[in-house]
Amino acid sequence: MSAAHGHPAEARMAFGAQERAGSPEDITIRRLQPVLGTWVEIRASGRAGRVERAVASAFLYLARVQRRMSFHAPDSALSRINLHAHHTPQRVDAWTWDVLRKARALSRASEGCFDITLGARLVARGVLPDHGFASLRAPIGADAVVLLPGRRVTLRRPVLLTLDGIAKGYAVDLAIQCLKRAGVRQAVVNAGGDLRVFGADSVPLAVRGANGVISDAGVLRNAAVASSALGLEDSDSERFPGCVLHPSQGHAGPSQASLAPSGGGSVSRPRGYSQKHAGPPQVWTVQAPACWRADALTKVAALAAPGRRHILVSRLGGRILQSGQGIAQGGAA
């Protein structure tokens, strides 16, 4: 597994000093582990002992999402769907089912800007591995995905699903839920730019522009942000490893999100993969209540028609904080 470096969205903790804790027994810890195709950082404040156990459990949640929803792993739930669901319904776990349900609904609501059926195009480009799939030519579209009772998934035709960015965001949300249930007072989970904060204190937010410059973007409180990029050079693959693929045009350009990897509108790319974006480099940062939604809506922001993107992202529950060439448009509340 390769790790991405340089998070496009970064939260600098405004809390965590012993004297600011909720009680004299509170501590703040910071842990960093490679998972989801990137370095994931968790910073959390709470009771000593309890917070350590909570953070360890949160990393287990992240690893489980990777095992279940990775395109690269031939034995993942996602790979079973891609290999067999076009002829035999596949029963999946509750998390994979939930991500598929969310992704299908968002694909329909986003006027096609978000599409999880693009895997075959990326296999054909060498971006994703071929596990012996039945076809790389099936017409894309969310209508191919059928969710049956009993958490069974079938495909009307042999499309290849990618859950990359949306699954990474979903994993961050699960980690946050785990920390909350364990009694952690405040935390930040940052998975390569898919970032969510919870707790009473606001956290200063910084975003990385297409030129690599980090700018203040206000503060974040009980919300999530994510970033995706278009048109960066190969030399930027460490900071923004991945690609965004337009469903209608089949055009690929670099993007920030990767899930060890598989994709939902974006997927990881091998080093050296390049397909130019027409126009200057662009970075899109979106805030939403949940990280899965923020990540998915960065693809909508990047690919929607200019006159529609702000309206569409807002209608779908997000807010664009950074657009175009990386100038922050406002702080997160």
Side-chain angles (χ1 to χ4, degrees):
M1 178 192 309
S2 62
H5 305 285
H7 295 162
E10 300 172 356
R12 297 187 298 273
M13 302 290 276
F15 64 92
Q18 187 85 15
E19 62 271 16
R20 293 199 60 193
S23 77
E25 298 178 4
D26 278 8
I27 64 168
T28 294
I29 66 170
R30 173 181 179 267
R31 298 292 181 266
L32 192 68
Q33 291 187 18
V35 66
L36 303 173
T38 187
W39 285 101
V40 176
E41 178 186 31
I42 298 179
R43 299 190 188 188
S45 291
R47 293 289 184 91
R50 176 184 296 175
V51 69
E52 287 277 7
R53 292 191 296 270
V55 169
S57 295
F59 275 114
L60 290 177
Y61 276 54
L62 299 173
R64 288 172 191 160
V65 171
Q66 175 174 295
R67 288 195 301 270
R68 296 174 185 183
M69 304 183 211
S70 170
F71 196 105
H72 275 205
D75 58 349
S76 68
L78 180 63
S79 290
R80 283 196 295 105
I81 294 169
N82 286 334
L83 287 165
H84 307 299
H86 63 284
H87 58 75
T88 305
Q90 298 294 305
R91 183 175 171 82
V92 298
D93 61 276
W95 292 354
T96 303
W97 175 266
D98 196 28
V99 171
L100 289 171
R101 183 181 58 83
K102 287 173 164 58
R104 189 178 65 163
L106 191 60
S107 179
R108 293 169 175 171
S110 67
E111 301 173 0
C113 291
F114 182 81
D115 193 332
I116 62 169
T117 67
L118 303 175
R121 295 184 182 182
L122 296 157
V123 171
R125 285 170 166 78
V127 180
L128 292 177
D130 189 342
H131 297 307
F133 301 116
S135 173
L136 299 181
R137 298 182 179 275
I140 65 171
D143 66 296
V145 183
V146 181
L147 303 180
L148 302 172
R151 295 204 307 265
R152 291 177 301 139
V153 182
T154 189
L155 301 175
R156 289 193 172 100
R157 52 189 180 274
V159 295
L160 301 184
L161 308 185
T162 57
L163 297 176
D164 173 28
I166 191 172
K168 180 194 277 190
Y170 188 81
V172 170
D173 293 332
L174 288 175
I176 288 288
Q177 292 170 19
C178 175
L179 295 168
K180 286 182 176 179
R181 285 194 300 268
V184 168
R185 185 177 63 83
Q186 183 137 0
V188 171
V189 179
N190 189 353
D194 279 26
L195 181 151
R196 185 169 168 181
V197 174
F198 89 87
D201 297 328
S202 297
V203 177
L205 179 70
V207 294
R208 187 185 298 274
N211 59 1
V213 175
I214 297 175
S215 303
D216 289 336
V219 295
L220 196 66
R221 182 171 179 266
N222 292 318
V225 293
S227 299
S228 288
L230 288 169
L232 302 183
E233 299 294 332
D234 273 353
S235 58
D236 294 300
S237 62
E238 287 297 310
R239 290 188 293 115
F240 296 92
C243 66
V244 170
L245 185 69
H246 198 292
S248 62
Q249 298 176 353
H251 175 79
S255 156
Q256 112 1 271
S258 63
L259 170 64
S262 69
S266 71
V267 298
S268 291
R269 64 176 179 179
R271 186 177 301 278
Y273 176 82
S274 177
Q275 188 158 341
K276 300 299 183 182
H277 158 70
Q282 299 176 354
V283 174
W284 302 92
T285 301
V286 172
Q287 176 186 335
C291 203
W292 74 264
R293 187 178 296 274
D295 188 287
L297 291 181
T298 63
K299 283 69 180 177
V300 178
L303 300 177
R308 290 282 297 156
R309 61 170 53 104
H310 282 271
I311 295 172
L312 194 54
V313 168
S314 177
R315 192 180 76 194
L316 295 174
R319 181 160 67 97
I320 297 176
L321 300 183
Q322 174 179 256
S323 61
Q325 299 186 40
I327 301 175
Q329 294 188 330

